[in-house]
Amino acid sequence: NAGVMQNPRHLVRRRGQEARLRCSPMKGHSHVYWYRQLPEEGLKFMVYLQKENIIDESGMPKERFSAEFPKEGPSILRIQQVVRGDSAAYFCASSPGTGSPGANVLTFGAGSRLTVL
Amino acid sequence: QQPVQSPQAVILREGEDAVINCSSSKALYSVHWYRQKHGEAPIFLMILLKGGEQKGHDKISASFNEKKQQSSLYLTASQLSYSGTYFCGTRRVTGANNLFFGTGTRLTVIP
């Protein structure tokens, strides 16, 4: 029973390049969440998606960042024209989403660590 | 939207107790507690719902006062394995299912 799978685990990009981070939710989970964590800081909410829908993107920067969760395949967080300030760990989490009160208990992936040179 | 946690950091000797607090300015539907060890993914500890419930998990328990929009995590007779950063995540009464996490409390347990 694989958990939340994120790849790549580590990604190095030069300023101006694009970064694509992938997340496959746990089996049976249809809700995906992306969080950003700077070193020694907390988890900052970015975006919440269901299949083919963005539910809440209030934490996403207005420019350069986008996320999708297509009908088939993993969720993707895309960062265009990366800058040094984008260097962080990006965690994906998933949940069943509906039903019991525990339906939005999040299971986290191991994270993708982006370094921008 | 982000809840506030206190203290920011605490150092304990094995066997000592600690309390971590989480408060929100928004009406809450539920509070979740997670623990993250350095370089690892956050791990779910427990969820508390409206109704002022308390929960326990081994020697770790928590309470939720919905009127005050506060939750507390109690660590009793701490063990070395309790070391890590504890985050509370809050889900609001209105709005979507996503959680907003506090700034974290770094707990270090020493022998």
Side-chain angles (χ1 to χ4, degrees), chain B residues 14-30:
Chain B
E14 268 188 294
E16 291 183 337
D17 303 338
V19 180
I20 300 172
N21 299 303
C22 173
S23 63
S24 173
S25 59
K26 305 284 186 182
L28 301 177
Y29 176 79
S30 62

Side-chain angles (χ1 to χ4, degrees), chain B residues 22-84:
Chain B
C22 173
S23 63
S24 173
S25 59
K26 305 284 186 182
L28 301 177
Y29 176 79
S30 62
V31 177
H32 303 219
W33 286 95
Y34 290 76
R35 177 172 63 207
Q36 183 182 33
K37 293 190 180 282
H38 185 71
E40 299 181 8
I43 301 297
F44 171 74
L45 294 176
M46 64 188 76
I47 178 175
L48 300 108
L49 304 175
K50 287 177 63 175
E53 68 171 328
Q54 296 195 20
K55 276 200 172 179
H57 174 72
D58 195 10
K59 291 191 173 72
I60 300 175
S61 62
S63 63
F64 175 30
N65 185 327
E66 66 194 80
K67 290 182 180 178
K68 293 185 177 180
Q69 296 155 194
Q70 294 176 345
S71 177
S72 294
L73 186 72
Y74 307 94
L75 299 106
T76 306
S78 57
Q79 307 167 16
L80 294 176
S81 62
Y82 286 3
S83 293

Side-chain angles (χ1 to χ4, degrees), chain A residues 12-114:
Chain A
V12 179
R13 286 287 179 265
R14 296 191 180 279
R15 281 180 297 171
Q17 292 184 319
E18 179 179 289
R20 284 194 180 214
L21 310 177
R22 294 173 187 78
C23 170
S24 295
M26 276 190 71
K27 188 176 181 180
H29 286 191
S30 59
H31 294 229
V32 166
Y33 314 78
W34 286 94
Y35 290 85
R36 177 164 64 177
Q37 187 175 40
L38 295 170
E40 309 302 323
E41 293 192 10
L43 296 156
K44 185 175 181 297
F45 169 75
M46 299 183 74
V47 63
Y48 163 36
L49 311 102
Q50 296 178 29
K51 285 284 187 182
E52 300 184 280
N53 286 307
I54 295 175
I55 306 302
D56 184 347
E57 57 181 346
S58 59
M60 287 278 272
K62 298 297 181 193
E63 297 177 350
R64 302 188 297 109
F65 285 72
S66 62
E68 62 176 7
F69 188 16
K71 188 176 180 181
E72 301 290 339
S75 174
I76 295 175
L77 180 68
R78 181 184 179 201
I79 312 172
Q80 295 178 290
Q81 299 174 337
V82 296
V83 300
R84 288 212 174 115
D86 297 333
S87 295
Y90 291 84
F91 285 95
C92 169
S94 70
S95 73
T98 58
S100 68
N104 66 323
V105 171
L106 304 186
T107 301
F108 281 87
S112 292
R113 281 151 183 83
L114 172 66

